[in-house]
Amino acid sequence: AQDAVGQGEINMALELRLSEGWHAYWRMPGDAGLPPKMTWEGSENAENIEVIWPAPKRYKIEGLNNFVYEGTFLLPVRVKAADPSQDVRIQLAADIMVCQEICLPQNLSLSLTVPAGSGIAQETFHAPRVMHAMKRAPQKGDTPGMNISNLVIGPDALVITTFSQRGYDLADVFVESGDIYVTAEPVIEPREDDPRYALINIPLPDYIDNIQQELSTRDVTITFVQGRDAIEKTFYLSR
């Protein structure tokens, strides 16, 4: 998205183009599938590399809830240079599972060198798409238009208290906690006096004996989506 390292922060993206009917998986794949695995070994002068995950789509098949991407999409990447006065070389090895009626692993090996340049970096032709993808990714924490104010973990369901300025017509919720995937569809109960507020119940998996105790000692990350808007909020229950 830029022609030089500039001040040391570089925005870029991995573009994936899937044929009609095919899908790839989010960082939490859901009840089936595998998430993309990306390694950056061999990169040079990159102090930190962060993948920014767009919100997924819920894909239901044979009673399974999977969280996927379809069509053409961007996975934005933010890179911090260790030394802004030097070139940054990015080396990416990616294993991505794509599925239709069958699943096929895709193995990618990509490299990119961003020259050090001088002063402020200039945007490239791809910059608007990359920045748009970053802005459309779930915002970290609450925003004026959306929030998650409370989390309660019961024996059978996880309940969050939410606000959505645009209502809940296109709402979905994705819950992550380490290797515990909470994949069931949310049950949304808007308040009668103000439907911008709602309790959202997500049934908990039954394969763990005491899910309430298990989750109460973990960090729980919730991605709350309403149409094209989304937020991501982590409750640090382990602290």
Side-chain angles (χ1 to χ4, degrees):
Q2 61 200 63
D3 64 358
V5 175
Q7 302 302 308
E9 185 170 279
I10 307 166
N11 296 314
M12 58 183 65
L14 173 64
E15 181 178 41
L16 296 173
R17 300 176 181 178
L18 304 182
S19 298
E20 184 176 355
W22 290 81
H23 61 264
Y25 292 92
W26 189 42
R27 65 188 182 207
M28 180 182 73
D31 292 324
L34 292 172
K37 180 182 178 182
M38 289 176 275
T39 58
W40 308 92
E41 186 176 353
S43 297
E44 300 174 5
N45 195 31
E47 184 176 76
N48 186 63
I49 300 176
E50 176 190 8
V51 178
I52 300 172
W53 297 88
K57 173 183 177 182
R58 185 180 295 268
Y59 178 78
K60 297 184 65 177
I61 182 171
E62 297 181 355
L64 301 177
N65 286 277
N66 299 327
F67 308 136
V68 306
Y69 299 124
E70 297 176 316
T72 296
F73 62 95
L74 299 182
L75 288 179
V77 179
R78 183 176 289 122
V79 180
K80 182 179 180 181
D83 181 355
S85 68
Q86 301 295 319
D87 296 352
V88 171
R89 176 177 171 79
I90 300 300
Q91 185 70 44
L92 168 63
D95 298 325
I96 299 174
M97 183 70 73
V98 297
C99 299
Q100 192 190 44
E101 294 181 358
I102 61 172
C103 291
L104 299 174
Q106 304 293 307
N107 307 114
L108 308 176
S109 180
L110 304 171
S111 62
L112 175 68
T113 298
V114 183
S118 60
I120 299 175
Q122 301 299 309
E123 291 186 348
T124 68
F125 173 80
H126 302 289
R129 293 184 63 219
V130 173
M131 299 313 296
H132 178 75
M134 286 186 165
K135 290 178 181 179
R136 298 312 313 177
Q139 301 297 301
K140 297 293 181 70
D142 297 329
T143 67
M146 297 179 71
N147 71 53
I148 305 169
S149 60
N150 192 36
L151 164 66
V152 175
I153 301 171
D156 302 314
L158 180 152
V159 183
I160 57 175
T161 305
T162 63
F163 169 82
S164 172
Q165 184 68 45
R166 298 187 179 184
Y168 295 86
D169 290 345
L170 300 172
D172 207 341
V173 175
F174 308 100
V175 180
E176 305 164 81
S177 184
D179 57 356
I180 295 179
Y181 294 173
V182 181
T183 62
E185 287 189 87
V187 178
I188 302 171
E189 302 175 357
R191 266 175 33 186
E192 292 186 3
D193 61 327
D194 190 340
R196 298 176 303 169
Y197 296 87
L199 289 178
I200 300 181
N201 295 261
I202 305 99
L204 294 171
D206 57 9
Y207 60 83
I208 295 177
D209 291 338
N210 191 330
I211 188 67
Q212 187 175 22
Q213 178 178 337
E214 187 77 18
L215 283 180
S216 67
T217 60
R218 293 168 168 254
D219 297 338
V220 177
T221 297
I222 299 171
T223 301
F224 172 31
V225 179
Q226 165 54 30
R228 298 183 66 182
D229 298 327
I231 61 173
E232 175 188 305
K233 189 170 185 178
T234 299
F235 290 82
Y236 297 98
L237 306 181
S238 63
R239 297 180 181 177

